[in-house]
């Protein structure tokens, strides 16, 4: 049971909260939002069963905080609808009363987009987790928003299809969240972005209107492609309730190579060669620097991949449908890059055990970093020429004050720059050493200050480093048209200034 | 020199115009638009040089009419800007004066989207035709909107890249028009839609604001993906002035197979087999019925592909990077479908001459139809089960009154249903036999009434067959937000009712 008194008390505490989520302070609560009371809870009980309404702080705690323990809100209410109609009724009520709402999927985001900033109601999609349809001829799958990514992959595998999207959080992230954040990941190089692979969405608008754009057609040019508005807008324009997606045939032959390079120029050249020589079967081209490998060796049960240490490592994956052809292509490729002295060392894995072992180096970097202390994460798109320079610049800047590592999807120009310090909590001093320098550098080279993680609560004030004023103004117009009361995921994505 | 008197005369003629563009009559002129006068022309002379302003009816005629001679407007003015800044100044002026504008690219559309309906100013992008940048490492190309698609392909070929888009009109269609109409075409099966391949656009909004979303990054999740608004909105939300696009490595080995089938079930099964057996190298899967082949034989210098006639034909293309591997895959595929009696006859082409000969059957259908008389064109997405039924239903309906043919991108579920009669002009009687039946049938099976051609002037009144009222209302809100004076490409895309 929530009382107004308690809310006000919490709110006062909040106003004194000096938490920093970046080099900027947490935004103040917008006092025009209603504070929920008993009548509201009673109303929600007419929409949802009591098990789908969480008010006990111990139940809510996990929803208020993100997985990195960097962002923490103070919501007193979690609603877990099971149907689109329930989502619609909840939003209609919230819009009428001007109650702020944060939609939450698997809560695996990196920028604080999925947790409340203050006392927004948390609308969790976890109870909407059914795969509704699959067409084995076209490969089109239709899922409810709360379906976990890995659940979809496991469902598709026996039918010879695969999701066109793979990321470290696959075991807990949800497809609705993936779509709302335009999640990128490892397979983007091969299958492209969700803007191409999502065929339709069903979404609920701020006023409760249900928008059925759940086409399952590969081609549909009837008017504006409205579904695109919900891909990557982080729940600020509507809440995605269902997704239809084209899934590609699952490759039957997968090979992985791990290569060590002497300098970043070699990495670049190997990338060019891989694109032209492996073309249609190249499915991942990932990059890690030596400090990443050291971190993984420290925190995971793995052995150094090669006898000699090298400054740079590439993980390359091919996926195809003919084992003989694929191995031949990969062997020829390896021979040619070795002959040209483009790598110092290299090893190929063709069976699933060795493939997993190779992938472990790449996939456990984030987890290993998490064990170090506070991690300052930056997800940048940069031209290949500047891709690694920023890591070196930051390393020089921090000297031995912090551990600076660089890894990422070099095939897509996407660098994950991570800076870790042994001490928690996050420190404004460290933030100030990183920001706005990292953003200025990125902007100067016409990169993106958020390649795949989104804007969330972390980056609205930095949006101008990647977007023009005219673009930001148009975003604000669209937001204002679609959510005039600004109830959907407030304080996020768009700068308030 | 244009005089008001002349304009009024033209306009009166227009109001008596009973031309039918579908089973619906041409919409009346909206009298709230200004009629251009001498002062306007004088103002445009301060923005453009005189060669870029066409007012002579004989110069304008080709811009007023579409290539099928189905749609004809009555514009008195064509403007041909050379820079984005000029486009911006023109639109700012038109917005202030409420002068309607139709943007025009290569004018190769199928639904009357690129010609004026009444006296809208024609803004031709043809003079903005430069390829501005190309990055040989990432394959990202940046072009002005008026660049012809084939020019881009010819530019990329020597550098080992290819445009991810190919269509019959490539010799005259322009990339800005392709993006504005979300053009599909033959390679969509392999490379996906422009929503995935276009990385950025520069567009000019109705009020002259220049929107720079010309990112060249593969990944950029900083706020709403505004460029998507311009992809497929047919120039009603802004005029695309530049495009940046990811281009894939150009396959070095191309093979084509032409197969004959006894029934449509065989076509479906061959499609399934091709997707699983050819996977990564399958680049086109096109379908033609026998009446298509008969038309091509009648109008082109070609011979029947096989000794025996068959009711259905498949054109299948593979594109890869290893000739030996690709041939082996295609031969194995051919052997297996022949062993299963899935085709009656089949032939493979591996050299460019034979490949072109095979493609001629598919690519000259539209041109051959044009030589027949009046052609009623329908571009539908349908589930595979209904893909050919609609052709049979229409054939039964017309009996010998018209020639009904079906072809298209069956791999994407996209049927081109064409009905031709020997006599021009287009007849309301014939339209009434087709519409709304074709749209009702498509709607009933949750297909799309416009798979790749768009809505244009032909289909706004039928939009509800593929889009919900809520979707149409949201489209109208967005249009109203971005173009409140409704000056951009009026009477098109959105229903006026």
């Amino acid at each position: 049971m929530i009382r107004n008194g308690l809310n006000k008390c919490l709110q006062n505490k909040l106003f004194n909260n000096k938490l920093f989520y970046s080099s900027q302070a947490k935004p103040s609560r917008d006092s025009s939002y209603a504070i929920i009371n008993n009548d509201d809870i009673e109303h929600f009980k007419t929409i949802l069963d009591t098990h789908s309404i969480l008010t006990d702080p111990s139940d809510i705690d996990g929803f208020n905080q993100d997985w990195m323990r960097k962002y923490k809100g103070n919501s007193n209410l979690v609603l877990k609808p099971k149907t689109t109609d329930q989502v619609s009724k909840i939003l209609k009520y919230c819009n009428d009363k001007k109650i702020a709402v944060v939609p939450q999927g698997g809560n695996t985001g990196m920028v604080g987009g999925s947790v409340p900033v203050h006392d927004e109601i948390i609308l969790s999609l976890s109870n909407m987790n059914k795969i509704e349809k699959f067409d084995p001829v076209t490969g089109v799958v239709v899922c409810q928003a709360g379906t976990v990514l890995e659940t979809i992959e496991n469902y598709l595998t026996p039918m010879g299809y695969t999701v066109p999207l793979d990321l470290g959080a696959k075991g807990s992230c949800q497809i609705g969240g993936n779509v709302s954040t335009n999640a990128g990941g490892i397979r983007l190089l091969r299958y492209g972005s969700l803007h191409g692979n999502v065929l339709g969405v069903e979404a609920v608008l701020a006023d409760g209107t249900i928008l059925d754009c759940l086409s399952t057609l590969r081609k549909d040019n009837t008017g504006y492609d409205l579904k695109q508005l919900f891909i990557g807008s982080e729940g600020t324009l509507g809440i995605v309730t269902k997704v239809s997606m084209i899934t590609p045939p699952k490759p039957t032959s997968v090979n992985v190579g791990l290569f060590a390079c002497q300098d970043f120029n070699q990495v670049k050249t190997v990338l060019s060669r891989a694109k032209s020589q492996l073309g249609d079967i190249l499915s991942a081209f990932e990059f890690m620097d030596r400090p990443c490998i050291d971190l993984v060796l420290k925190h995971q049960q793995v052995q150094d991949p090669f006898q000699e240490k090298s400054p740079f490592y590439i993980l390359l994956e091919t996926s195809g449908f003919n084992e003989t052809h694929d191995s031949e292509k990969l062997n020829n490729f390896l021979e040619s890059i070795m002959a040209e002295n483009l790598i110092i060392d290299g090893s190929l894995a063709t069976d699933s055990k060795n493939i997993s072992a190779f992938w472990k180096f790449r996939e456990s970097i984030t987890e290993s970093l998490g064990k170090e202390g506070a991690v300052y994460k930056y997800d940048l798109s940069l031209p290949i020429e500047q891709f690694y320079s920023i890591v070196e610049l930051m390393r020089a800047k921090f000297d031995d004050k912090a551990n600076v590592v660089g890894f990422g999807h070099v095939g897509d120009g996407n660098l994950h720059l991570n800076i870790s310090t042994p001490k928690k909590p996050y420190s404004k001093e460290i933030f100030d050493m990183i920001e706005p320098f990292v953003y200025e550098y990125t902007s100067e080279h016409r990169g993106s200050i958020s390649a795949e993680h989104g804007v969330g609560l972390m980056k609205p004030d930095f949006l101008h480093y990647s977007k023009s004023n005219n673009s930001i103004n148009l975003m604000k117009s669209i937001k204002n048209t679609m959510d005039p009361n600004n109830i959907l995921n407030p304080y996020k994505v768009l700068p308030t200034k």
Side-chain angles (χ1 to χ4, degrees), chain A:
Chain A
M1 192 83 62
I2 296 165
R3 287 183 302 276
N4 274 348
L6 176 63
N7 270 291
K8 273 178 195 150
C9 161
L10 265 171
Q11 211 184 317
N12 287 335
K13 205 171 139 197
L14 236 58
F15 284 150
N16 297 321
N17 190 338
K18 287 276 189 291
L19 253 181
F20 286 90
Y21 289 151
S22 64
S23 54
Q24 309 293 303
K26 173 170 172 167
S28 306
R29 184 180 186 281
D30 176 345
S31 60
S32 70
Y33 291 121
I35 292 175
I36 53 165
N37 59 33
N38 242 339
D39 291 347
D40 302 322
I41 306 286
E42 289 306 315
H43 181 81
F44 291 128
K45 284 183 184 164
T46 68
I47 303 172
L48 304 176
D49 60 52
T50 48
H51 299 297
S52 304
I53 301 176
L54 311 184
T55 54
D56 189 315
S58 63
D59 292 335
I60 298 176
D61 200 45
F63 295 87
N64 259 323
Q65 185 149 37
D66 80 314
W67 69 276
M68 297 180 294
R69 300 188 168 270
K70 184 173 168 191
Y71 302 94
K72 188 160 172 39
N74 291 283
S75 180
N76 302 305
L77 181 62
V78 177
L79 301 178
K80 301 178 79 179
K82 290 185 175 119
T83 67
T84 303
D85 193 50
Q86 289 173 346
V87 177
S88 164
K89 284 177 177 148
I90 293 166
L91 287 195
K92 186 177 182 331
Y93 182 82
C94 291
N95 193 50
D96 290 345
K97 298 270 179 185
K98 209 177 171 189
I99 297 171
V101 179
V102 53
Q104 188 174 91
N107 198 8
T108 62
M110 302 284 199
V111 289
S114 59
V115 290
V117 182
H118 298 290
D119 58 344
E120 302 94 281
I121 287 181
I122 298 166
L123 194 150
S124 163
L125 278 301
S126 301
N127 277 345
M128 294 181 67
N129 56 7
K130 284 184 197 63
I131 297 172
E132 293 199 336
K133 262 195 293 192
F134 176 70
D135 180 332
V137 177
T138 59
V140 176
V141 68
V142 180
C143 307
Q144 291 183 336
T147 316
V148 169
L149 188 62
E150 200 167 53
T151 307
I152 310 174
E153 180 67 23
N154 293 341
Y155 171 88
L156 293 174
T157 298
M159 281 173 294
Y161 285 89
T162 187
V163 281
L165 164 82
D166 188 19
L167 50 158
K170 60 190 161 201
S172 43
C173 66
Q174 298 172 5
I175 191 69
N178 295 145
V179 169
S180 300
T181 58
N182 188 31
I186 291 154
R187 292 183 186 163
L188 192 134
L189 181 73
R190 171 70 170 268
Y191 299 117
S193 85
L194 288 175
H195 287 287
N197 291 313
V198 170
L199 299 182
V201 303
E202 178 192 76
V204 181
L205 304 183
D207 66 359
T209 301
I210 298 171
L211 197 73
D212 177 2
C213 302
L214 201 62
S215 170
T216 55
L217 306 166
R218 188 85 196 262
K219 291 163 87 169
D220 180 16
N221 274 352
T222 49
Y224 308 161
D225 195 358
L226 297 175
K227 68 166 186 279
Q228 301 290 351
L229 285 168
F230 305 98
I231 304 176
S233 55
E234 305 182 38
T236 60
L237 298 179
I239 297 184
V240 172
T241 45
K242 292 182 188 174
V243 172
S244 102
M245 183 168 56
I246 183 96
T247 70
K250 192 176 179 80
T252 51
S253 135
V254 177
N255 296 300
V256 172
L258 192 66
F259 308 133
C261 293
Q262 190 55 49
D263 55 47
F264 193 73
N265 267 330
Q266 289 189 331
V267 176
K268 283 194 299 196
T269 315
V270 175
L271 172 62
S272 280
R273 293 284 195 287
K275 281 172 76 175
S276 61
Q277 284 183 46
L278 298 169
D280 44 18
I281 58 166
L282 182 65
S283 56
F285 195 101
E286 298 289 312
F287 160 79
M288 302 157 272
D289 62 11
R290 179 66 207 183
C292 288
I293 301 287
D294 288 334
L295 270 174
V296 173
L297 292 173
K298 179 175 166 190
H299 295 289
Q300 315 288 333
Q301 297 289 326
V302 287
Q303 288 196 324
D304 216 326
F306 304 112
Q307 282 196 323
E308 300 286 320
K309 291 180 183 183
S310 301
F312 299 106
Y313 296 81
I314 294 165
L315 188 152
L316 176 154
E317 185 191 73
T318 65
S319 309
F321 296 85
N322 185 310
E323 215 170 303
T324 318
H325 291 172
D326 294 1
S327 302
E328 204 179 308
K329 283 189 180 106
L330 191 54
N331 281 320
N332 289 345
F333 170 71
L334 182 58
E335 269 173 36
S336 83
I337 56 172
M338 289 188 86
E340 283 191 78
N341 290 319
L342 292 173
I343 58 173
I344 306 169
D345 214 335
S347 174
L348 297 185
T350 50
D351 65 280
S352 63
K353 199 180 145 202
N354 286 327
I355 287 174
S356 299
F358 278 7
W359 267 113
K360 196 168 169 77
F361 285 104
R362 170 63 184 87
E363 287 191 325
S364 58
I365 297 171
T366 299
E367 188 195 329
S368 305
L369 274 162
K371 293 182 179 170
E372 287 284 288
V375 189
Y376 302 79
K377 291 175 170 293
Y378 295 85
D379 163 47
L380 312 169
S381 273
L382 279 166
I384 195 86
E385 299 307 323
Q386 283 78 36
F387 190 88
Y388 199 69
S389 315
I390 182 78
V391 182
E392 292 168 323
L393 283 168
M394 290 311 295
R395 199 169 279 148
K397 206 167 172 163
F398 274 101
D399 200 8
D400 57 0
K401 281 199 204 75
N403 189 20
V404 178
V405 310
F407 61 100
H409 319 290
V410 65
D412 306 315
N414 181 185
L415 171 75
H416 294 310
L417 166 71
N418 281 239
I419 295 152
S420 70
T421 57
K423 277 187 221 152
K424 282 207 173 190
Y426 293 90
S427 124
K428 178 147 168 50
E429 189 197 341
I430 300 282
F431 272 127
D432 284 342
M433 284 179 74
I434 308 170
E435 303 172 7
F437 174 77
V438 160
Y439 298 135
E440 282 167 355
Y441 183 90
T442 305
S443 178
E444 194 183 315
H445 297 288
R446 289 203 61 127
S448 169
I449 63 154
S450 188
E452 59 178 14
H453 291 174
V455 181
L457 180 58
M458 183 180 175
K459 298 178 189 171
D461 290 334
F462 305 111
L463 202 58
H464 64 278
Y465 286 109
S466 280
K467 287 281 147 70
S468 67
N469 282 341
N470 287 343
S471 293
I472 294 173
N473 289 339
L474 180 54
M475 287 181 210
K476 285 180 175 173
S477 297
I478 289 168
K479 168 74 175 174
N480 193 44
T481 301
M482 293 180 67
D483 179 16
N485 287 344
N486 194 22
I487 62 159
L488 289 175
N489 219 1
Y491 318 107
K492 318 273 175 71
V493 184
L494 293 170
T496 42
K497 287 170 214 161

